[in-house]
Amino acid sequence: QPDVTPGRCWCFRGSQGQVVIKLPARIRPTAITVQHISQAVSPPASISSSPKEIAVSGLDEEGGDTLLGSFTYDVEREAIQSFRLKNELLKAFQYIQILVRSNWGNPEYTCIYRVQVHG
């Protein structure tokens, strides 16, 4: 969704979680963009609910997964961050799994405001 108003995010309990995104068509993913709100607009002036360690995989129809990359979302940088993915096989996927392995310290929940897949 295009709305990145504080609190209007996909939120899950704890510091680890995953989501599978169905793309409108099969693509060869080359990059992913992750967005969280900046500390300046966060009502509690904390963005500890931001994802930190993230892994991205492509899923095939048989349920197999291909790791496309792991990266760190850095809260000290811009709110919108893009990361190049590895896809040496030039394989196309319609399903992308986003696995959040940790956040920036919030023990209760993690929020993601926007994820974009490029390819």
Side-chain angles (χ1 to χ4, degrees), residues 57-77:
S57 297
L59 304 179
D60 59 34
E61 288 75 24
E62 293 80 38
D65 65 326
T66 301
L67 181 65
L68 300 173
S70 296
F71 54 88
T72 301
Y73 180 88
D74 187 350
V75 294
E76 298 295 323
R77 292 182 42 217

Side-chain angles (χ1 to χ4, degrees), residues 1-101:
Q1 300 295 324
D3 185 7
V4 289
T5 304
R8 300 204 31 125
C9 62
W10 175 63
C11 187
F12 58 88
R13 189 179 304 261
S15 61
Q16 298 179 349
Q18 64 183 5
V19 64
V20 174
I21 300 169
K22 182 179 181 183
L23 303 172
R26 292 172 51 90
I27 66 162
R28 286 185 226 127
T30 57
I32 187 163
T33 299
V34 176
Q35 182 175 358
H36 194 274
I37 58 172
S38 69
Q39 189 166 352
V41 300
S42 177
S46 171
I47 52 174
S48 63
S49 65
S50 297
K52 184 176 182 181
E53 299 297 326
I54 301 172
V56 178
S57 297
L59 304 179
D60 59 34
E61 288 75 24
E62 293 80 38
D65 65 326
T66 301
L67 181 65
L68 300 173
S70 296
F71 54 88
T72 301
Y73 180 88
D74 187 350
V75 294
E76 298 295 323
R77 292 182 42 217
E78 295 294 320
I80 301 172
Q81 298 176 28
S82 294
F83 305 92
R84 290 198 98 14
L85 299 176
K86 297 176 182 147
N87 191 359
E88 289 89 10
L89 302 176
L90 299 176
K91 199 169 175 185
F93 300 96
Q94 188 165 10
Y95 296 91
I96 301 292
Q97 179 183 45
I98 310 297
L99 172 64
V100 177
R101 293 182 172 152

